[in-house]
Amino acid sequence: MQRCQINIFAFFKNTTKVQSVLLTRRVLKNKLANRFMQTLTVLSLLLLLIMGLGLYYKSTGILKEHSLWNLIAGSTWSPLTGEFGFWSFIISSVYVTIISVVIALPISLLTAIYLTENAKKWVKKIVFPVLDILAGIPSVIYGLWGVLIIVPWIADSLGPRFVDYTSGYTLLAGGIVLSVMIIPLLVSLFIEIFSTVPKDFKDASTSLGATRWQTSRLVVIRKASPGIISAVVLAISKAFGETLAVLMVCGNMVGIPESLFDSAYPLPALIANNYGEMLSLPMYESALMFAALIMFVIILVFNAAARIVLQKVEKQFKL
């Protein structure tokens, strides 16, 4: 009996030791995982900081020769005479981005609402793979599609209705091509966002006599408004930095576009068109790096402002 008690005591003692060792290992693994994730987070922030500092360092040459205001507000671009005005490039980038979002947003929003609220299963089985394919198509394919379809359509059919002459390589062409590029992204994001709206909210709205459209408009979109804003911000950031497709259809003529049928020259196209070809000119490399810095700062400021607006919207529309 005594031996049995000793064995039981030893068993529980060994079990306690094993549990203690396992608990220590779990705590250690948890701490290591936390440290690892914290390190990755800090590295991500440092990467952003290093990119900004690197672009600023490469832009110091032109910043020493010209004032910041003259570089940003100037519209004269003549590298041979040492004049570097980026205003027309900035305006072109902003216009193309705005046009693309204005076209893509309602299409994407209504498509996502239909797919999540009204579409049958067989429709979803067809549409979802198509969206994935469209999102994976290289930008050069969109650019070629724009050159072969959109540019001739604007030059021959749409443009003559509004202006005397247009080559088709216009601000509008860039906006249309960009909108088609970001529609799959927006639709996919909107579908994921709308899917997170609790079904109880929809059922409550229906039980009160609301139609499907009223439920979608007043409940689903309202509840998902913070996510919608986040998706739009992501799409704008993507559109603002798009290079190849825009380069192929915008015309790439220096000047501030005065209508949708004028040529444009966005900042990404400026960098892609000229880097490596005209770097023998004084200050040219520094000017192109400053163009990249402008894009970096605009996107950074825009995302920061959008985050502030998003926080206010979350408080305002919180149900």
Side-chain angles (χ1 to χ4, degrees), residues 75-88:
S75 56
T76 302
W77 182 261
S78 179
L80 293 175
T81 59
E83 295 186 60
F84 299 94
F86 290 90
W87 183 244
S88 61

Side-chain angles (χ1 to χ4, degrees), residues 62 66 70-72 74 76-79 82-86 282-284 287:
I62 195 170
H66 303 274
N70 289 336
L71 289 172
I72 294 177
T76 302
W77 182 261
S78 179
E83 295 186 60
F84 299 94
F86 290 90
M283 308 303 299
Y284 206 84

Side-chain angles (χ1 to χ4, degrees), residues 46-61:
L46 285 177
L47 180 61
L48 183 67
L49 181 62
I50 291 170
M51 289 174 60
L53 291 176
L55 291 173
Y56 175 76
Y57 174 75
K58 297 293 288 185
S59 305
T60 51

